[in-house]
Amino acid sequence: MRVTVKHRLRGDGRIWVDYVETKVRRDPDGGYGVDAPDVWDRARVDYDIAADWIRIERDEETIDVPFHDGEADFTWRESPYHIASMVFGEIHVAQGGRPVVRGFVTVSGVHLDPVEPELLPVIRPLAWGLTLRSERLAR
């Protein structure tokens, strides 16, 4: 599965998952609404620059992705995930040591390929959060 994210200057953006396009809109309170083809996969994403932390809210679940020393560990559906350092523009996410996402930072977002299907329900908001974080690292 291939994921491409484009963040526009207005704060909104687009996400393509295997060529299916969805929108991201900036909320008045500073968060982002991430659309998905299925209503139950829609999410809200917040990125706290000062704390270097991504929060994903979907239906009744919240996924916190706190970065420490450039890396992050988070749990989703009782599985632990690890995001390696993105300093050199590469993105690596592993689940229990097994690679589940690889990709790189682009000028306007991120490109992830491949992405394991198990992450499909959260890949859009996670990719958007990684896009916001990559912009912070670029500054």
Side-chain angles (χ1 to χ4, degrees):
M1 169 182 333
R2 176 181 302 163
V3 177
T4 304
V5 177
K6 300 288 183 187
H7 187 204
R8 298 172 16 171
L9 293 175
R10 296 186 299 212
D12 62 343
R14 302 263 192 262
I15 300 174
W16 291 266
V17 176
D18 281 346
Y19 307 105
V20 175
E21 180 182 356
T22 56
K23 295 180 183 180
V24 177
R25 66 195 175 292
R26 181 126 194 187
D27 293 336
D29 65 359
Y32 296 88
V34 179
D35 286 338
D38 298 319
V39 170
W40 53 87
D41 286 338
R42 292 181 182 161
R44 177 179 163 69
V45 176
D46 288 304
Y47 177 63
D48 184 329
I49 293 172
D52 199 10
W53 158 90
I54 299 168
R55 172 168 276 173
I56 299 169
E57 297 173 351
R58 305 175 59 242
D59 287 329
E60 296 179 8
E61 76 177 330
T62 299
I63 304 165
D64 288 322
V65 185
F67 286 84
H68 302 286
D69 297 324
E71 299 188 358
D73 291 298
F74 68 98
T75 302
W76 180 62
R77 291 190 176 169
E78 300 179 16
S79 294
Y81 291 90
H82 176 77
I83 302 174
S85 175
M86 297 169 48
V87 171
F88 297 109
E90 294 182 7
I91 298 170
H92 298 278
V93 181
Q95 188 270 322
R98 177 179 62 93
V100 292
V101 175
R102 284 194 317 255
F104 54 90
V105 175
T106 66
V107 173
S108 62
V110 297
H111 180 83
L112 307 175
D113 188 19
V115 174
E116 293 296 321
E118 68 196 53
L119 285 177
L120 184 58
V122 294
I123 197 58
R124 285 175 181 83
L126 181 60
W128 185 257
L130 293 174
T131 295
L132 297 174
R133 183 168 190 274
S134 71
E135 291 173 357
R136 176 189 172 265
L137 293 175
R139 293 183 186 151

